[in-house]
Amino acid sequence: INDVWGIYGDPLVTIENISIFDRLGTLLYKGEDFNLPNENIWDGYYRGKLLNPQVLVFDIEARVGDCIIKRKGDITIVN
């Protein structure tokens, strides 16, 4: 179990956009324009409160050279 969620990888990768949403589509976290590795991690808080257990959705756009890579997936929060 992790206390934070983030992206780690090759320093040649630039994260153009990362978004985390709840099941209703509320944007809980947004990060833009950073290179890996970095300290841009999310701690499971929204508006100062730790979120209750639930499944969230993430959407990532990354750039490697001239190539854009898009990934979607889920994050499960357990307390």
Side-chain angles (χ1 to χ4, degrees):
I1 296 177
N2 299 316
D3 292 328
V4 295
W5 185 88
I7 303 171
Y8 304 92
D10 194 307
L12 298 176
V13 175
T14 300
I15 302 300
E16 300 284 328
N17 181 19
I18 178 171
S19 302
I20 300 175
F21 302 92
D22 68 9
R23 64 183 178 85
L24 300 175
T26 303
L27 179 64
L28 303 174
Y29 174 80
K30 185 169 186 79
E32 296 179 310
D33 298 321
F34 58 89
N35 289 0
L36 299 177
N38 75 14
E39 297 300 320
N40 195 342
I41 57 176
W42 182 60
D43 60 5
Y45 281 78
Y46 177 65
R47 294 187 177 175
K49 293 185 178 182
L50 183 62
L51 293 173
N52 290 326
Q54 60 186 297
V55 177
L56 306 173
V57 176
F58 68 82
D59 186 9
I60 299 171
E61 271 187 35
R63 177 180 299 277
V64 181
D66 293 335
C67 182
I68 296 287
I69 301 167
K70 296 181 181 185
R71 295 287 185 264
K72 294 182 180 191
D74 59 77
I75 303 166
T76 302
I77 293 182
V78 294
N79 296 354

